[in-house]
Amino acid sequence: MLLMVTDLTRRKLLNYVLATSPRGNCYGIWNSNSRELLEIKPLADVSGAAVINKQWVLNSGSGSIAYVSVTRQSKRNQTFIIWDNHWFSILAVKI
């Protein structure tokens, strides 16, 4: 999955591209202007990606959820849910 952030409301992630590789058990972050690879990190069976609260949120088939910021700091939670790549964020609107 490839996630390119261009929404101006998410300025901290603007000009970055995050790609996941489930078979490679990793994800990568690139600077979209310079095309420089900034980081590749391991995450078993990583697949889905979304942007929530100015950070990337990744899921994996092993049940992990990773929160990754543009400063490339990350936090992981382990769940009992086996995620797939059909993840996206939805803006909640009060009706």
Side-chain angles (χ1 to χ4, degrees):
M1 168 173 266
L2 178 67
L3 183 64
M4 184 170 183
V5 179
T6 58
D7 184 346
L8 292 177
T9 64
R10 298 175 178 140
R11 287 186 187 272
K12 286 190 176 184
L13 298 181
L14 189 63
N15 301 321
Y16 293 91
V17 174
L18 182 140
T20 63
S21 175
R23 290 186 180 180
N25 296 306
C26 65
Y27 64 90
I29 299 172
W30 285 261
N31 180 303
S32 62
N33 292 326
S34 68
R35 298 183 181 190
E36 175 188 6
L37 173 62
L38 302 174
E39 147 176 294
I40 291 183
K41 281 227 170 170
L43 184 57
D45 197 25
V46 61
S47 52
V51 175
I52 300 173
N53 295 329
K54 299 180 182 171
Q55 65 182 349
W56 290 291
V57 182
L58 310 174
N59 65 33
S60 79
S62 64
S64 292
I65 299 176
Y67 303 88
V68 182
S69 71
V70 73
T71 59
R72 298 187 300 278
Q73 296 176 333
S74 64
K75 174 184 165 189
R76 293 186 188 177
N77 291 335
Q78 186 64 41
T79 69
F80 295 104
I81 301 170
I82 299 173
W83 302 99
D84 69 3
N85 64 342
H86 300 99
W87 240 25
F88 58 93
S89 63
I90 300 173
L91 179 62
V93 177
K94 190 173 184 177
I95 299 176

